[in-house]
Amino acid sequence: MRIAILASGTGSNFEAIMKAKQKGIVTDDICLLFSDQKQAPVLEKAKKYGIPTVSFSPSEFASKELYEKQLRELLLSQKIGFVVLAGYMRILGSGMLETYANRIINIHPSLLPSFPGRHGIKDAFTYGVKVTGVTIHYVDDGVDTGPIIAQKAVEINPYDTLETLEIKIHSTEHALYPQVIAELTKNMN
Ligand code: GRF
């Protein structure tokens, strides 16, 4: 299985997947890192691991449809069979969703359906829930709404701050995402 990772930011989940690949936990080939942000730190991380990178953004195209057409053609030209969103901050359009039906997954830093959107960790912390966590789900046309594949709970203790909670959530993500990717792609071709 040839995997592409789509990311817009820091790339800590990308790095966790690469480390799992080095340890043999993920056995599929990570063939491409795509970012819609030309300055995203994840691009440097990918180069460090020797992963080919491509970056372009919707602002370079006349429409969102043309941007996505280019992205879809890029993935098809690289014979990508499975797409992992790791901090990719855009909704995917119908072309991508149809071409890669049940083959695009995302990670979200809360127990969905609670706290969807960009600030899942902060929103849970501010609300005052005692348990939050991490969700991995198939991607559909909504914001963090696709069918859930895996979840892991993270407790919020009285002495947690937003910063300590962020650390706990991210380390939970980094453990869970590679395992789920390995499991899902094991029997795919
Ligand atoms: C993660 O918290 C992930 O759950 C969310 O975006 C963040 C990406 O972080 N979708 P990173 O770029 O992998 O460090």
Side-chain angles (χ1 to χ4, degrees), residues 5 14 21 29 51 61 76 86 90 102 108 118 129 142 156 161-162 176 178 183:
I5 299 179
F14 166 78
K21 168 82 185 153
D29 290 328
I51 302 298
F61 294 82
L76 290 173
R90 292 184 187 281
N102 292 320
H108 182 76
R118 278 178 183 252
V129 293
I156 304 179
T161 62
L162 178 58
L176 188 63
E183 194 60 35

Side-chain angles (χ1 to χ4, degrees), residues 9-14 86-89 106-109 121 170 173-174:
T10 315
S12 69
N13 279 283
F14 166 78
Y88 180 71
M89 306 306 267
N106 182 43
I107 187 162
H108 182 76
I121 304 175
H170 291 311
E173 289 186 322
H174 300 162

Side-chain angles (χ1 to χ4, degrees), residues 26-152:
V26 170
T27 53
D28 298 285
D29 290 328
I30 313 298
C31 299
L32 177 69
L33 183 285
F34 171 79
S35 182
D36 60 326
Q37 303 290 331
K38 288 210 162 111
Q39 306 301 326
V42 68
L43 288 164
E44 283 309 311
K45 288 197 171 84
K47 284 175 192 143
K48 192 177 92 185
Y49 284 93
I51 302 298
T53 63
V54 177
S55 180
F56 50 81
S57 73
S59 63
E60 296 167 58
F61 294 82
S63 67
K64 188 193 169 211
E65 286 68 32
L66 287 172
Y67 160 77
E68 276 220 356
K69 185 168 177 284
Q70 181 88 359
L71 176 56
R72 186 174 156 276
E73 282 169 6
L74 168 69
L75 299 180
L76 290 173
S77 73
Q78 299 292 312
K79 305 202 180 331
I80 299 298
F82 196 77
V83 180
V84 171
L85 307 191
Y88 180 71
M89 306 306 267
R90 292 184 187 281
I91 301 292
L92 291 174
S94 57
M96 278 285 292
L97 295 176
E98 279 160 25
T99 304
Y100 286 102
N102 292 320
R103 285 170 181 261
I104 311 177
I105 64 171
N106 182 43
I107 187 162
H108 182 76
S110 76
L111 292 179
L112 292 171
S114 292
F115 310 114
R118 278 178 183 252
H119 306 291
I121 304 175
K122 189 173 174 207
D123 291 347
F125 184 79
T126 305
Y127 193 95
V129 293
K130 302 303 175 203
V131 180
T132 182
V134 170
T135 302
I136 295 164
H137 64 93
Y138 289 108
V139 172
D140 66 8
D141 59 359
V143 177
D144 306 320
T145 50
I148 290 171
I149 301 163
Q151 290 186 306
K152 184 115 181 145

